[in-house]
Amino acid sequence: LDVMMPGEGGVQMYRRLKSDYALKDIPVIMLSGVAKKTFVHYLKMLNTRIEDSIPDPSAYLEKPPEAEEILKLTERLIG
C-alpha cells in the first residue's frame, strides 16, 4: 500500500485491513514516498485517538525501492 494513495489514502485502507478479522493476519508492505519516520509518527498519533490501535506494517519501504529488495522482502513475509 502507498500512504498517499488517491481517495481515502493508504493509511485508512491499512487500518481497515488490520481491523478485519479475516484479513488482519495478511502481511502488508507499505511503499511510499513518505519517509518511514513520518509514517511511524502519524500512526502513533492516530493510535492515541482510536480504541483499537493499529499495528505497524510488516514492512515499510521508501520509494524508489530496488526490485531485488521487494522480492526478498516478499519471499520472507510469505515464506
Side-chain angles (χ1 to χ4, degrees):
L1 293 175
D2 192 334
V3 173
M4 303 297 286
M5 286 178 16
E8 69 180 334
V11 175
Q12 293 305 319
M13 178 173 276
Y14 178 68
R15 180 179 178 194
R16 286 191 295 146
L17 285 170
K18 292 303 175 182
S19 299
D20 187 304
Y21 183 77
L23 304 174
K24 68 179 185 166
D25 294 327
I26 295 173
V28 174
I29 300 171
M30 297 297 289
L31 173 65
S32 187
V34 174
K36 181 178 181 178
K37 182 178 178 179
T38 303
F39 172 76
V40 169
H41 178 72
Y42 176 76
L43 196 58
K44 184 177 176 182
M45 293 298 104
L46 183 62
N47 281 335
T48 64
R49 296 187 200 164
I50 59 176
E51 191 171 311
D52 295 324
S53 65
I54 304 165
D56 290 339
S58 301
Y60 192 97
L61 298 175
E62 293 180 23
K63 290 180 181 177
E66 296 291 327
E68 191 64 32
E69 181 181 21
I70 295 173
L71 289 172
K72 286 180 182 179
L73 182 57
T74 303
E75 287 173 355
R76 181 176 61 82
L77 292 174
I78 63 173

